[in-house]
Amino acid sequence: MPAGSPASLLPLLRTSVDRLSATAAGLSDEEVRAPSLLPGWTRAHVLTHLARSADSRGRLLASARRGVDLPQYADEAQRAREIEEGAGRPAAVLLDDMDTALRRFLAAAGDHPEDAWEVPVRWLGGGLRPVRGVVGSMLREVEVHHTDLATGHGPDHWPARLVAHELETTVQGLRDDPDAPPMTLVAVEERVPRVVGAGPGPRVAGPAAQLLGWLTGRTDGRALTVEPPGPLPTPPVWRS
């Protein structure tokens, strides 16, 4: 997202959390056991993951403030274990856990000292990076996983500021991926061609949110156009 204090993203994140919690509050015990859009995960897995994601970013904020090494997670096994252990709980408990964790993170981010956003902290799989990324990445987690609940919240609901940033980041990741197919991506709002892979490939165009939804595996791309006419390329599996 544009340069500036991560605190400027907090109003967007609060709105996203409110919308997510409203959706989760409407899910019954039976509905949280239903599959999400993520292979092998129920909605309960998604809700648990969001709660633990918020807690993990809270640890990073605490690490930056206190000057101590508190990793986001000990390792991938801890992350997976916490999600699996929490996914069997009733809907009301899942909602309370997720909402409480997200509100706790919002409070911690709101109180974070302005001069401590650049402190390096230990991200899972990413080594040492500034703690400033916790707010933007939490916004991405909330919006994308809200979509994964398969309750009607899609890319067109994602904040424009998030879409613009994540589209750039995702395209750059594709440019660095030797397995990415050649294609030229065009968001109709700006009409700037983004070339991926070796050669221009087909031109894939559509609204920025729909392009991002397709590249992240959250839509099938039916809202996009391909020139010359033909099937959409198959992008690599998205990793946030």
Side-chain angles (χ1 to χ4, degrees):
M1 282 139 237
S5 170
S8 67
L9 290 174
L10 288 176
L12 277 179
L13 179 55
R14 288 190 187 98
T15 298
S16 293
V17 168
D18 288 344
R19 295 193 299 181
L20 170 65
S21 292
T23 293
L27 297 174
S28 67
D29 286 339
E30 181 179 2
E31 288 168 332
V32 297
R33 306 290 160 232
S36 73
L37 295 184
L38 294 173
W41 273 17
T42 65
R43 288 169 171 150
H45 285 88
V46 173
L47 297 175
T48 302
H49 169 58
L50 282 162
R52 302 291 75 81
S53 289
D55 285 345
S56 77
R57 285 165 175 78
R59 283 192 290 274
L60 295 181
L61 287 170
S63 176
R65 286 195 305 272
R66 300 174 191 169
V68 296
D69 186 10
L70 298 173
Q72 185 179 12
Y73 297 96
D75 50 35
E76 285 282 0
Q78 177 198 355
R79 175 181 174 275
R81 184 174 62 253
E82 288 179 348
I83 295 169
E84 200 59 46
E85 289 175 350
R89 297 172 295 171
V93 177
L94 289 164
L95 169 63
D96 181 67
D97 179 30
M98 183 196 71
D99 188 73
T100 299
L102 286 167
R103 305 292 175 186
R104 186 166 53 231
F105 172 79
L106 282 167
D111 290 339
H112 195 72
E114 187 66 30
D115 61 358
W117 285 114
E118 299 303 326
V119 176
V121 292
R122 195 173 304 281
W123 293 78
L124 178 66
L128 289 173
R129 300 201 315 267
V131 75
R132 68 166 26 251
V134 295
V135 181
S137 63
M138 193 74 254
L139 177 61
R140 180 185 64 232
E141 290 281 299
V142 169
E143 287 293 331
V144 172
H145 289 314
H146 192 169
T147 296
D148 290 333
L149 292 176
T151 55
H153 184 87
D156 289 338
H157 297 98
W158 297 350
R161 190 173 174 187
L162 173 69
V163 169
H165 178 268
E166 292 300 322
L167 184 58
E168 281 299 321
T169 301
T170 300
V171 169
Q172 188 55 57
L174 290 172
R175 287 171 173 160
D176 295 337
D177 188 339
D179 294 328
M183 53 185 169
T184 299
L185 305 170
V186 181
V188 296
E189 295 92 338
E190 57 187 24
R191 300 189 180 279
V192 176
R194 295 175 168 90
V195 178
V196 171
R203 180 182 184 273
V204 181
Q210 290 296 322
L211 276 174
L212 182 61
W214 169 64
L215 291 173
T216 58
R218 267 61 190 187
T219 72
D220 59 10
R222 68 179 60 188
L224 306 175
T225 61
V226 185
E227 296 178 2
L232 284 165
T234 302
V237 174
W238 181 71
R239 298 214 191 308
S240 64

